[in-house]
Amino acid sequence: MSDKPPQIVLIRPAPAEAALHLSPALLAVASPILLLLGWEAVVRLEWLDSRFFPAPSDVLVALWQMLLAGVLLEHSFWTVQRVLIGFVLGAVPGALLGLVMGLSPWIRAFLKPAIAAVYPIPKVALLPLIMMIFGLGEPSKWVIVGIAVFFQLLLSTLAGVLNIDRIYLDVARNLNATRLQAYASVALPGALPTIFAGCQLGLGMALIVVVIAENFGTSAGLGYLVWRSWQVFEVTDMYVGLMMIALLGYLFQLAMGWLERRLLRWKPAATAMKGTP
Amino acid sequence: MRSEPKIAIQGVSRSFGAVAALARVDIAIAPGEFVCIVGPSGCGKTTLLRILAGLETPSTGQVAITREDSARPLNTMIFQESSIFPWMTVRQNVGYGLRLRGIRAAEIAERIAPLLELTGLARFADAFPYQLSGGMKQRVSVARAFANDPELLLMDEPFAALDEQNKALLQEELLRLWSATRKTVVFITHSIDEALVLGDRVLVMSARPGRIKADIDVPFPRPRSVVELKQDPDYVRLNHDIWLLLRDEVRPAA
């Protein structure tokens, strides 16, 4: 025994948390705004060469003018259209094949090596081949986007189905579910959270691919805007294109997050939050 | 009563690779009988149940189950772990077996309403499983099995993960539901108490590879009260007898 007097350990309410009343939504907006402000400052102070890094305010002015002229919406419209058509073309068969491979060990064993071999090829490297087959027009853009999205959805759906607790399939089997019923009531809903994750990745991939594809055989689309601005050294326009692409990506994520919250009401809120931007 | 068995298990064994899970098992179960199987963990009792459920096949021997009504499902299993679908509401989960059989939504609603009432789930009918406690989730499992209305109920330690109070409540609810329907039940458990409270008959299994070591009639009249029954001196004696049988089996495994 020491001869120090006994100490009292106090456990009390945490200091008022109200002081830190920042909502996550507010914090989420703060980082892009701070980035833009910092950028603006650095250019105004001439620490950065404004020929390569025009100030955000200049980019916004250019963006506003292009918006008023209607050009920007037209470019955006073409890009969105290509992304959406390509996405549906790739996502639907990708998810379906993922479900089938997930539930059938035989089909999985048969197809997996082929997919593992093709998957690592950068999809953009297939573009010349696809333009040879489908021509320079719209179909080649849909197809290249479709291929990129297909693999993303296939792999995430497959992972999702394989991740479903076996017991749910046992229940379906024990209650004499047909194969189709097992797909509809167990495999699809059980894999839906990962399918959504795949959709998020797939949309990002679709934007990357479409921007590159729009360098060829078109005079519309945000990718075209960026490439043409590069050729004629209109750096500000190039940034307008980049900003619109970023904005589109963000809007796609928002839409996905909204859809996910509607369809995954069965997920506890904490895990559903992960998917939201 | 036991002349025409509902289930005749004859010389059934099962091995997984080099591991023998079940050694020749012979059991005859009468129609409407509530049979509990107790045994040490890893003795193959779940394997036996999965064979009855058609989720596993025996390595040798055969099982003959008499089917009375081809319009009703033959068996429904209630699993130990939570097996209700997280993506369905309580109502959808309970009606799942009926929905698979193509029964109209209105009829399903009509058939499951009394079950939701009896199991105290009516208030939670539109909740998702993540909003339920463990006891409520197992009630959904039980209600789903009874809604499916099979000839044979196969239960694999369905209450093992519950606390004592919930366990007693669910056992009483199960007995009430069962006495109204008189289905044939095979109930797996590692708890002697549970086997004696619920069963007409207790089969004691040996350590792996499992075989039937003893076949004990449970003489207590029904309806039984889960809590009262445990005070009965006969109950205490029987409980002790079975414990002595099991103790020999647990020792080598420990």
Side-chain angles (χ1 to χ4, degrees):
Chain A
M1 292 296 269
S2 77
D3 37 39
K4 281 186 200 154
Q7 286 187 337
I8 294 169
V9 177
L10 280 182
I11 298 170
R12 308 180 66 179
E17 271 178 41
L20 226 140
H21 213 79
L22 290 172
S23 76
L26 204 68
L27 282 172
V29 184
S31 68
I33 288 180
L34 280 177
L35 180 71
L36 288 177
L37 284 178
W39 180 2
E40 181 82 30
V42 167
V43 177
R44 294 274 170 229
L45 292 168
E46 296 191 358
W47 293 353
L48 272 180
D49 189 337
S50 64
R51 283 173 307 168
F52 300 113
F53 302 99
S57 55
D58 293 340
V59 177
L60 282 176
V61 169
L63 190 144
W64 182 245
Q65 283 164 351
M66 288 174 79
L67 201 62
L68 288 185
V71 226
L72 196 53
L73 280 183
E74 194 180 338
H75 285 308
S76 304
F77 167 78
W78 280 99
T79 300
V80 169
Q81 183 187 323
R82 286 164 187 151
V83 166
L84 290 185
I85 293 176
F87 186 84
V88 172
L89 278 180
V92 174
L96 286 178
L97 190 59
L99 286 179
V100 172
M101 282 177 70
L103 282 194
S104 163
W106 291 352
I107 297 178
R108 188 163 67 242
F110 178 64
L111 288 180
K112 218 172 175 190
I115 286 160
V118 179
Y119 175 64
I121 301 176
K123 302 308 166 289
V124 173
L126 296 173
L127 191 54
L129 180 65
I130 285 163
M131 288 194 295
M132 260 161 48
I133 301 170
F134 293 94
L136 284 171
E138 292 303 301
S140 64
K141 291 172 184 58
W142 301 337
V143 169
I144 190 72
V145 170
I147 290 175
V149 172
F150 172 82
F151 281 98
Q152 209 71 65
L153 263 288
L154 169 60
L155 293 175
S156 61
T157 308
L158 175 59
V161 176
L162 292 179
N163 227 348
I164 296 174
D165 207 328
R166 258 198 65 93
I167 195 158
Y168 300 124
L169 293 165
D170 279 346
V171 170
R173 210 144 64 92
N174 179 240
L175 294 174
N176 297 317
T178 63
R179 197 152 256 275
L180 204 62
Q181 285 174 327
Y183 279 113
S185 64
V186 181
L188 180 61
L192 209 52
T194 21
I195 291 179
F196 265 107
C199 284
Q200 302 261 21
L201 292 173
L203 273 175
M205 192 71 103
L207 269 178
I208 294 172
V209 170
V210 83
V211 164
I212 291 166
E214 281 174 345
N215 191 21
F216 306 96
T218 180
S219 55
L222 293 170
Y224 166 77
L225 177 64
V226 171
W227 290 111
R228 194 216 47 195
S229 308
W230 171 68
Q231 279 163 346
V232 300
F233 208 71
E234 281 283 357
V235 180
T236 316
D237 285 4
M238 198 195 288
Y239 275 93
V240 171
L242 292 176
M243 263 192 183
M244 265 324 273
I245 292 167
L247 182 66
L248 270 189
Y250 181 67
L251 290 178
F252 281 146
Q253 302 286 323
L254 275 189
M256 269 295 156
W258 176 82
L259 198 64
E260 187 178 355
R261 278 192 301 280
R262 305 223 83 196
L263 289 180
L264 296 183
R265 281 190 306 121
W266 54 271
K267 280 285 220 187
T271 44
M273 282 278 284
K274 271 193 234 154
T276 62
Chain B
M1 185 183 160
R2 285 194 191 152
S3 53
E4 189 71 25
K6 176 80 185 165
I7 309 171
I9 301 170
Q10 291 156 338
V12 164
S13 71
R14 169 77 211 205
S15 25
F16 297 98
V19 182
L22 276 179
R24 295 186 55 86
V25 170
D26 296 278
I27 308 172
I29 295 170
E33 201 172 21
F34 198 130
V35 174
C36 292
I37 302 180
V38 284
S41 44
C43 74
K45 49 194 195 296
T46 295
T47 304
L48 180 62
L49 202 68
R50 288 177 66 88
I51 290 174
L52 293 180
L55 294 171
E56 211 86 69
T57 50
S59 301
T60 66
Q62 64 165 14
V63 178
I65 303 176
T66 311
R67 186 160 199 173
E68 275 141 40
D69 183 353
S70 59
R72 278 165 63 199
L74 184 59
N75 76 70
T76 301
M77 185 142 167
I78 301 179
F79 295 85
Q80 174 177 1
E81 57 270 58
S82 177
S83 69
I84 57 173
F85 301 112
W87 47 86
M88 294 183 194
T89 61
V90 167
R91 195 191 301 280
Q92 289 167 333
N93 263 298
V94 175
Y96 180 67
L98 300 174
R99 206 158 60 248
L100 289 181
R101 270 145 60 197
I103 293 170
R104 284 176 309 109
E107 194 187 331
I108 294 176
E110 203 173 294
R111 282 171 70 170
I112 67 174
L115 269 168
L116 291 176
E117 211 58 62
L118 266 168
T119 46
L121 287 167
R123 280 192 306 133
F124 304 97
D126 294 306
F128 284 104
Y130 81 90
Q131 299 164 305
L132 303 180
S133 66
M136 278 307 190
K137 283 184 195 164
Q138 274 321 54
R139 282 186 174 89
V140 177
S141 279
V142 172
R144 177 172 68 191
F146 274 93
N148 201 37
D149 192 24
E151 295 187 22
L152 195 59
L153 265 185
L154 305 171
M155 308 182 75
D156 183 13
E157 303 203 38
F159 309 140
L162 302 180
D163 59 84
E164 287 302 319
Q165 292 78 21
N166 258 307
K167 191 186 276 190
L169 287 175
L170 267 112
Q171 286 166 346
E172 291 203 326
E173 281 168 27
L174 173 64
L175 284 179
R176 271 209 311 276
L177 284 168
W178 175 76
S179 62
T181 55
R182 290 283 162 166
K183 294 177 186 310
T184 310
V185 180
V186 182
F187 190 108
I188 302 281
T189 180
H190 63 255
S191 154
I192 304 169
D193 276 320
E194 188 165 62
L196 285 176
V197 158
L198 296 175
D200 295 318
R201 211 173 134 204
V202 176
L203 302 175
V204 182
M205 271 178 90
S206 69
R208 196 169 63 206
R211 54 189 174 72
I212 303 301
K213 192 177 178 185
D215 183 342
I216 297 160
D217 272 308
V218 182
F220 310 116
R222 297 183 190 270
R224 297 174 186 168
S225 155
V226 169
V227 182
E228 299 301 312
L229 187 60
K230 291 180 184 167
Q231 315 297 323
D232 191 316
D234 284 341
Y235 176 92
V236 176
R237 188 184 42 78
L238 209 48
N239 195 320
H240 185 66
D241 289 350
I242 298 176
W243 163 240
L244 292 180
L245 282 169
L246 272 176
R247 191 177 58 180
D248 300 336
E249 299 305 325
V250 181
R251 270 189 181 149

